[in-house]
Each structure stands twice: as C-alpha cells, then as structure tokens.
Amino acid sequence: NVPMYQYEFDAYLSLSYNIGTGAFCNSTLVKKLKTYDYAGACKEILRWDKFKGQPLAGLTHRRQREYKLCMGNV
C-alpha cells in the first residue's frame, strides 16, 4: 500500500516473477519500501543475483536492468 511510479512497479514485478512472490514479500526490499525508503528498496534488487550462493552473470545483468528501471533510468 505504498504509492509508486509505474516504472518502480514494473521493476518489482519483474523481480518477484523471477524470485517468487514468497521471497519477494518477505524481503528486506519490501520492508524498506513500506518505510518509504524508495532508493534503498531499489538498491535491494541488486542483491538477488546469486545462484547457489555465487553471482551469476546473467542474473547480475538482469538485476542491473531492473535497478535502473526502478530508479527511473530507463
């Protein structure tokens, strides 16, 4: 129940589709978003680039695109 721009919503939707709604809804990102820390919430997107604990180039690239979208830098 936090107001946001469409581009922020789109970035969060993309992330939640990829990581699952359970992981998304229980994330630090959502906690920050609920306190209106928009920049902090967007930055949390970058943390979701690992597979089995190791950064994965494709996920890192995807998260960077989602982060830029979230920040309005499309």
Side-chain angles (χ1 to χ4, degrees):
N1 300 352
V2 179
M4 65 180 77
Y5 291 104
Q6 185 65 48
Y7 54 83
E8 292 169 319
F9 177 82
D10 293 345
Y12 297 139
L13 182 64
S14 176
L15 176 66
S16 66
Y17 178 79
N18 191 243
I19 68 172
T21 55
F24 180 80
C25 290
N26 294 311
S27 68
T28 301
L29 183 157
V30 171
K31 291 177 183 136
K32 289 186 177 194
L33 190 58
K34 286 181 178 181
T35 64
Y36 301 96
D37 180 3
Y38 292 99
C42 287
K43 193 165 184 173
E44 287 292 313
I45 290 172
L46 298 171
R47 296 182 63 204
W48 293 88
D49 70 337
K50 295 173 184 58
F51 177 72
K52 295 186 178 180
Q54 298 296 318
L56 191 62
L59 283 178
T60 300
H61 182 69
R62 179 181 178 141
R63 298 301 171 245
Q64 289 170 344
R65 284 192 335 258
E66 290 166 340
Y67 171 73
K68 288 178 185 176
L69 177 60
C70 189
M71 294 300 291
N73 299 325
V74 185

